[in-house]
Amino acid sequence: MNDKFFDLKKEKQDRMINAALKIFALNGYAHASTDDIVKEAGISKGLLFHYFSNKIGLYSFVFDYAVKYVSLEVTSSVDKNDNDFFGLHIQIKNIESMIMRGYPYMIAFLNRTQNEDVLEAINAIMEKRDVVPELIEELFKHANSASLRSDVDIAKINKMIDIISKGILSDNIGNVEDHPEYYAIQMKEYLLMLKSMSYKA
């Protein structure tokens, strides 16, 4: 990557980053086309390759950018005094929704990278692939689960939340640019429902 990319106006940087996030999120690495990325960004292919030598270079850059951005937002925005298990989940989904206001496809892109099967792409992101999941896991080490029913399996609840989250994001992918708040609203409804089913009477 050419460091002069960061000399561009922030609006143009974000236009290029968002275009790459969108095309990679919707198509995966193998089927993402740089032609579609430059069309989405409204730039020339020559300009894209001036800053990123090839598709894998761009993919690696936007992955690194997304990991750093999400990590910073989570660590700086989560209320550390809220140790309620479902309260933490609601906070995180609100943060993800906030991220999507500026980068509509960032969360969907990171989700997609967890299932990437192209070796070239896997190798490019392997070192930081688990950074965000491990950061979230660390936050929940301090969550209070004492109020949960004894028969509730936290690992299974987390798996359900992950599946629901990805499902809602997938269902709303067409609206994410205009209405990122839908994601947080719907997730809160599901999380409160799960909470009522999981806590002691």
Side-chain angles (χ1 to χ4, degrees):
M1 178 220 159
N2 186 337
D3 287 339
K4 290 189 179 296
F5 173 77
F6 292 110
D7 292 337
L8 293 171
K9 290 182 179 179
K10 186 68 164 62
E11 181 275 333
K12 194 164 193 175
Q13 289 180 38
D14 282 348
R15 198 149 36 90
M16 294 169 71
I17 290 167
N18 273 323
L21 289 170
K22 179 176 182 177
I23 302 304
F24 284 130
L26 295 178
N27 301 285
Y29 180 77
H31 301 289
S33 163
T34 52
D35 288 335
D36 290 339
I37 291 171
V38 297
K39 182 178 179 182
E40 182 72 27
I43 60 171
S44 70
K45 204 165 189 179
L47 183 64
L48 180 73
F49 288 124
H50 174 69
Y51 294 109
F52 307 99
S53 56
N54 49 35
K55 186 168 92 167
I56 194 62
L58 176 62
Y59 182 81
S60 180
F61 169 77
V62 293
F63 177 79
D64 189 60
Y65 186 90
V67 166
K68 288 178 179 175
Y69 193 90
V70 172
S71 298
L72 179 62
E73 290 298 319
V74 170
T75 53
S76 63
S77 301
V78 166
D79 178 3
K80 306 298 192 301
N81 294 318
D82 182 2
N83 65 350
D84 176 73
F85 177 79
F86 287 98
L88 279 172
H89 271 294
I90 289 171
Q91 279 197 70
I92 289 166
K93 297 311 168 189
N94 285 338
I95 291 166
E96 290 178 350
S97 184
M98 180 182 67
I99 289 167
M100 287 189 282
R101 291 174 194 165
Y103 298 100
Y105 293 88
M106 185 171 278
I107 303 303
F109 167 73
L110 287 176
N111 287 344
R112 185 88 186 219
T113 63
Q114 291 297 311
N115 298 312
E116 184 56 68
D117 58 1
V118 176
L119 188 59
E120 181 183 31
I122 293 171
N123 289 337
I125 65 174
M126 181 62 71
E127 188 177 332
K128 296 184 178 179
R129 200 176 192 183
D130 296 325
V131 168
V132 173
E134 287 176 357
L135 173 62
I136 302 299
E137 185 180 336
E138 186 65 26
L139 288 173
F140 279 91
K141 285 183 179 178
H142 308 290
N144 180 11
S145 58
S147 298
L148 293 172
R149 295 200 329 259
S150 60
D151 61 333
V152 169
D153 186 322
I154 292 178
K156 288 181 179 177
I157 289 288
N158 281 327
K159 183 67 174 176
M160 288 171 65
I161 292 169
D162 184 55
I163 292 169
I164 293 167
S165 171
K166 288 174 180 174
I168 288 175
L169 194 53
S170 177
D171 289 346
N172 288 281
I173 202 73
N175 298 317
V176 72
E177 293 180 62
D178 298 319
H179 301 287
E181 71 277 8
Y182 287 177
Y183 171 72
I185 291 168
Q186 291 179 62
M187 279 307 304
K188 185 174 182 180
E189 291 175 356
Y190 278 97
L191 286 164
L192 291 177
M193 182 179 69
L194 285 171
K195 180 175 181 176
S196 68
M197 295 166 57
S198 303
Y199 275 34
K200 298 171 184 175

